[in-house]
């Protein structure tokens, strides 16, 4: 399997910079897509109306969170079918997050490792009165969640670190420590996230509080007509192991399905391989640009681009 190595967010100088990450913005292009909602499916006539668009890529994040990928692929003339495979729900510690942020003891770092974790954190941070916090993110996609903060809020929330490679393992190995003191880290995470980050940080001497603030579950409903069309698309794009599992559970014969899976990163790709999917593509550097590159590579390999 060929791997595509594309640029990722470079690590920032440790620690305490007084400026947020400067992130690129993307121009939105018009795009054609077919959708299946997790709460209510489109009518058969709506699906048939768009059937002639012949989508090449299935995008599978929650509805409303596929726009950047759809727009990026539209720049290459690629039509997408939107088939949300997962949805996010509150985790057991979601109610604790705001109170922990409101406490007098401040954390040296808040570690955010996904856009959803960032969104959940921002809600709690605002409820806590926007205390001063220093954020370490896993990569540019996660950092983009903090782009649209009001200028007044940016004065108390600093995105101050990203690792040289956008993975939890590298983040845990590179997060800066403040001198010889015992640094404290708040890690709002998914229930399903591994222990890799808190174990890696703890081994280095950090004191880590993990809060399971959200979880990921399969969607409640998938329109069977849209699913049938998705199975015939050359590439399915997935952004998490949960999405991979949901896809494998939906397709009737995973062993005989031979189209490509383009994963956002190595962790998701490893899950796809473990679940028996064969044509798996992923970038050496996780993130939107790398993900798009892997999708294009998959399409070229299957003579669809």
């Amino acid at each position: 399997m060929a791997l595509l190595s594309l640029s990722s967010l470079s690590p920032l100088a440790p620690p305490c910079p007084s400026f947020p990450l400067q992130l690129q913005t993307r121009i939105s292009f018009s795009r054609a897509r077919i959708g299946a909602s997790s709460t209510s499916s489109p009518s058969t006539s709506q699906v048939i109306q768009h059937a002639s668009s012949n989508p090449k890529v299935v995008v599978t994040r929650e509805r409303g969170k596929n726009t950047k990928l759809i727009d990026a692929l539209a720049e290459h003339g690629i039509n997408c079918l939107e088939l949300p495979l997962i949805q996010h729900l509150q985790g057991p510690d979601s109610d604790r997050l705001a109170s922990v942020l409101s406490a007098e003891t401040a954390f040296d770092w808040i570690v955010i490792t996904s856009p959803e974790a960032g969104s959940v954190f921002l809600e709690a941070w605002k409820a806590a009165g926007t205390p001063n916090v220093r954020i370490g993110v896993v990569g540019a996609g996660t950092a983009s969640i903090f782009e649209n903060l009001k200028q007044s809020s940016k004065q108390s929330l600093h995105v101050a670190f990203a690792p040289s490679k956008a993975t939890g393992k590298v983040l845990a190995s590179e997060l800066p420590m403040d001198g010889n003191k015992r640094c404290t880290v708040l890690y709002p995470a998914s229930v399903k996230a591994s222990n890799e980050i808190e174990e890696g940080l703890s081994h280095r001497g950090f004191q880590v509080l993990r809060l399971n603030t959200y979880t990921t579950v399969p969607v409640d409903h998938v329109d069977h007509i849209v699913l049938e069309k998705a199975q015939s698309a050359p590439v399915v794009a997935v952004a998490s192991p949960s999405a991979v599992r949901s896809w494998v559970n939906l397709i009737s014969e995973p062993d005989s399905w031979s189209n490509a899976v383009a994963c956002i990163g190595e962790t998701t790709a490893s899950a796809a391989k473990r679940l028996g999917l064969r044509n798996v593509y992923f970038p050496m550097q996780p993130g939107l640009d790398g993900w798009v590159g892997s999708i294009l590579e998959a399409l070229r390999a299957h003579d669809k681009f």
Side-chain angles (χ1 to χ4, degrees):
M1 177 189 69
L3 300 183
L4 182 64
S5 179
L6 298 177
S7 62
S8 180
L9 191 65
S10 298
L12 303 181
C16 294
S18 60
F19 52 87
L21 293 175
Q22 299 300 312
L23 301 168
Q24 295 181 344
T25 57
R26 186 177 297 280
I27 299 173
S28 295
F29 289 79
S30 60
R31 65 268 184 191
R33 56 177 163 176
I34 307 167
S37 172
S38 62
T39 54
S40 60
S41 61
S43 67
T44 301
S45 61
Q46 288 175 309
V47 174
I48 293 174
Q49 181 181 355
H50 292 281
S52 61
S53 60
N54 294 322
K56 292 183 178 180
V57 178
V58 182
V59 294
T60 61
R61 278 177 160 167
E62 282 187 297
R63 178 165 299 285
K65 298 181 180 180
N66 292 295
T67 302
K68 288 185 178 181
L69 180 58
I70 291 171
D71 288 344
L73 292 172
E75 295 182 30
H76 299 276
I78 296 170
N79 289 336
C80 294
L81 182 155
E82 187 173 38
L83 178 67
L85 293 178
I86 60 169
Q87 55 187 331
H88 293 110
L89 303 176
Q90 284 190 340
D93 298 327
S94 59
D95 291 338
R96 289 183 57 196
L97 183 54
S99 61
V100 168
L101 290 169
S102 300
E104 292 184 3
T105 303
F107 291 87
D108 295 298
W109 288 102
I110 313 291
V111 168
I112 304 295
T113 58
S114 72
E116 183 63 23
S119 297
V120 173
F121 168 80
L122 278 176
E123 289 185 14
W125 176 72
K126 291 173 183 177
T130 65
N132 290 325
V133 292
R134 184 168 54 151
I135 305 291
V137 296
V138 75
T142 299
S144 66
I145 294 298
F146 303 101
E147 274 186 321
N148 297 323
L149 284 178
K150 294 180 180 179
Q151 194 60 41
S152 58
S153 295
K154 289 182 179 179
Q155 294 174 3
S156 56
L157 186 152
H158 302 289
V159 180
F161 170 79
S164 59
K165 184 177 181 180
T167 68
K169 182 177 181 180
V170 177
L171 185 151
S173 68
E174 294 182 351
L175 188 73
M177 298 190 76
D178 293 340
N180 296 321
K181 74 166 189 170
R182 188 170 179 83
C183 286
T184 56
V185 174
L186 175 62
Y187 174 36
S190 165
V191 171
K192 296 183 177 180
S194 72
N195 297 324
E196 183 176 60
I197 287 179
E198 62 261 40
E199 289 179 355
L201 290 173
S202 296
H203 288 326
R204 292 181 56 210
F206 286 89
Q207 183 177 342
V208 183
L209 173 62
R210 170 174 173 163
L211 295 180
N212 292 319
T213 56
Y214 73 98
T215 190
T216 306
V217 298
V219 294
D220 298 324
H221 173 80
V222 173
D223 186 285
H224 73 279
I225 297 178
V226 179
L227 176 59
E228 183 178 351
K229 195 167 189 64
Q231 291 186 72
S232 63
V235 177
V236 173
V238 288
S240 68
S242 295
V244 176
R245 286 190 292 269
S246 182
W247 175 250
V248 170
N249 289 335
L250 281 173
I251 56 181
S252 55
E253 297 180 0
D255 293 338
S256 62
W257 185 78
S258 59
N259 290 354
V261 177
C263 303
I264 196 169
E266 186 175 357
T267 300
T268 302
S270 297
K273 293 175 183 177
R274 286 196 304 270
L275 290 168
L277 298 178
R278 288 174 285 175
N279 299 312
V280 179
Y281 296 80
F282 66 98
M284 295 301 297
Q285 295 288 355
L288 180 63
D289 291 340
W291 197 12
V292 170
S294 291
I295 292 169
L296 297 180
E297 183 184 8
L299 289 170
R300 292 188 189 103
H302 292 264
D303 296 322
K304 300 297 183 181
F305 180 69

